[in-house]
Amino acid sequence: MGVHGRGLSRREFLGAGVAAGAGALLLGGAAGAVAPGRAKAKGGDVMPRRALGRTGAEIPVIGLGASGDLSADQLILGQCVKRGVTYWDTSDNYSDGKAEIGIGRYFAKHPADRKRVFLVTKAGVGDAASLNRQLAQSLQRMKTDHIDAYFFHGVDGIGEVDKPELRTWAEAARKGGKIRFIGLSTHKNMAAVMTGAAKLGWIDCLMTTCNYRIMHDDDMRRALEACAAAGVGVAAMKTQGGGPINDTAADRELAGRLVAKGVTPEQAKIKAILEHPEIATACLSMPNVEILKSCVAAVMDGKKLGAAGRDALAVHAAATHGSVCGACGRCERACRVPVSRVMRHLMYARNYGDTAMARARFRALGPAVHGRMASADFSKAEHACPHTLPIGRLMKEALLELA
């Protein structure tokens, strides 16, 4: 999660790079960055697809992160279907429910497209009664009789879902036809959660933070291998590894090395994720058609990133290591503040330019957390941070910007 100032936003930079990326994306390497399964999109294009673990479902290698107010923006949904981006991930609390409501509005107008879309939504872990209420609400909002994959949202430790009552609930929901597959999402302590999920035996798929900065970490690599061995499908999120291209020397260097070869940094980061066969899809925020086109262009050639692209990303990751929160959670053991969540909210505001969502989620942390942020001594937390982030300063900045 990036903590830079906004600079040139990811949306602005990616949109500007469509023309450069669409026609000359090859950075070397043989074909085979994606599995051979392909399917025609509504408009006739061919989108590569991969198997989602043991589920038997094949999904497109890029998916839509549907977190915005889709009740006001229907165009992007139709364009996603047209281009074969038919893995849609949302949550019951995104944009105060307007993301799900918008998807429902689209399906009401285009009912045939529901069969094309692999629909994912998420809800917080709760008891059976609360899960039933949340699931019923999501079904009603999205005008559908089933969810393809239903995720327990924001799992930080596998003990949160390793409960017989949750497995019983999931099996009943499957049997009743309301969900096809059960899974979880994780933003923190990801490798441990993924490894634990692979051992449970009843988790079908999951979504995890994974990007060019962390996917080569030994623990993450072993966790991906464990999921593959257990048949647990993996979707990657936060794939850009810190958001936008900022006006820094490291970012200008990365942009120069990649754009000269006909690919934007954002496209290279997508390619880097999909070079890992354990990952079925890279889930991306695509708030407009130009960004959608650029993301699609990044995967339609079917080529690997190549050594030059991998080296450029590795150099950039090393150069910017000290400006990105890796969501490892080590600092939180030294303080009573959910630092990684606060960092994520800062990222939404600074890197994604979505201040409204960032403020809403920050406020949801509650006054007790805000009070601890204002008074805590973060020196031990900073000492524990492997990225040596100025956590105390960033917490104060979050209070000023988001409260």
Side-chain angles (χ1 to χ4, degrees):
M1 288 172 281
V3 294
H4 289 295
R6 186 165 182 263
L8 179 62
S9 79
R10 179 171 63 111
R11 297 177 184 182
E12 292 161 346
F13 190 93
L14 210 158
V18 170
L25 288 174
L26 307 189
L27 299 184
V34 295
R38 290 172 176 260
K40 285 189 177 181
K42 194 175 183 180
D45 293 332
V46 176
M47 170 61 64
R49 302 172 78 88
R50 286 182 176 176
L52 182 64
R54 60 171 178 249
T55 65
E58 282 199 343
I59 60 175
V61 296
I62 57 172
L64 173 67
S67 61
D69 181 0
L70 294 171
S71 63
D73 185 7
Q74 297 281 285
L75 174 64
I76 194 65
L77 298 177
Q79 290 296 312
C80 280
V81 172
K82 178 180 179 180
R83 289 170 171 79
V85 182
T86 51
Y87 180 100
W88 294 0
D89 171 88
T90 190
S91 174
D92 66 350
N93 67 354
Y94 286 167
S95 295
D96 295 324
K98 292 177 182 177
E100 286 190 339
I101 290 169
I103 289 172
R105 184 172 295 175
Y106 180 84
F107 286 149
K109 292 180 180 178
H110 308 279
D113 284 353
R114 174 64 187 95
K115 295 180 181 179
R116 298 175 179 270
V117 171
F118 188 96
L119 185 61
V120 181
T121 195
K122 305 183 286 291
V125 178
D127 59 22
S130 66
L131 286 168
N132 283 332
R133 285 194 299 271
Q134 292 173 108
L135 176 56
Q137 176 179 256
S138 293
L139 291 168
Q140 189 279 326
R141 283 175 172 174
M142 294 192 288
K143 309 301 182 197
T144 184
D145 61 357
H146 74 281
I147 307 296
D148 292 292
Y150 197 70
F151 287 175
F152 299 119
H153 197 18
V155 175
D156 294 339
I158 199 62
E160 296 172 28
V161 296
D162 187 11
K163 300 175 181 178
E165 58 268 30
L166 291 183
R167 179 172 186 170
T168 298
W169 178 85
E171 290 173 348
R174 277 201 207 98
K175 188 175 180 180
K178 294 181 179 180
I179 64 175
R180 293 174 62 196
F181 311 114
I182 192 71
L184 59 85
S185 68
T186 178
H187 305 83
K188 184 177 75 175
N189 196 29
M190 292 88 67
V193 171
M194 293 166 67
T195 302
K199 295 176 181 178
L200 288 185
W202 56 276
I203 296 295
D204 300 307
C205 45
L206 58 83
M207 171 174 274
T208 181
T209 297
C210 192
N211 51 62
Y212 74 104
R213 295 182 184 278
I214 63 176
M215 64 189 177
H216 301 298
D217 175 81
D218 286 343
D219 289 341
M220 179 61 74
R221 177 179 52 78
R222 285 190 288 267
L224 286 170
E225 291 172 352
C227 286
V232 175
V234 176
M237 63 175 165
K238 305 292 186 288
T239 56
Q240 293 296 303
I245 299 302
N246 292 287
D247 190 19
T248 68
D251 291 323
R252 289 194 297 272
E253 169 70 13
L254 177 65
R257 292 179 67 179
L258 293 174
V259 173
K261 296 180 178 295
V263 63
T264 69
E266 286 80 3
Q267 290 170 326
K269 293 169 186 178
I270 295 169
K271 285 177 167 289
I273 283 287
L274 295 177
E275 286 197 344
H276 291 255
E278 304 93 342
I279 297 172
T281 190
C283 203
L284 304 156
S285 175
M286 294 179 278
N288 61 54
V289 176
E290 291 306 302
I291 290 179
L292 168 64
K293 289 179 180 178
S294 185
C295 292
V296 170
V299 301
M300 292 299 284
D301 58 55
K303 300 292 182 177
K304 292 186 177 181
L305 180 62
R310 287 193 294 272
D311 288 347
L313 289 176
V315 168
H316 182 264
T320 58
H321 178 79
S323 64
V324 176
C325 174
C328 65
R330 294 177 191 172
C331 62
E332 296 174 7
R333 299 170 195 145
C335 65
R336 296 175 56 241
V337 172
V339 173
S340 62
R341 290 188 184 183
V342 176
M343 293 291 198
R344 190 158 70 247
H345 304 333
L346 272 177
M347 178 195 69
Y348 290 137
R350 294 178 173 184
N351 299 150
Y352 286 30
D354 198 338
T355 303
M357 180 175 71
R359 286 177 174 166
R361 295 190 181 186
F362 182 78
R363 289 169 186 156
L365 294 175
V369 171
H370 297 164
R372 290 197 295 273
M373 288 175 60
S375 61
D377 178 0
F378 290 100
S379 57
K380 291 183 179 179
E382 291 177 351
H383 181 73
C385 177
H387 291 222
T388 64
L389 291 173
I391 295 171
R393 175 172 62 80
L394 289 164
M395 295 301 100
K396 287 181 173 59
E397 290 176 0
L399 285 167
L400 290 171
E401 294 177 28
L402 304 179

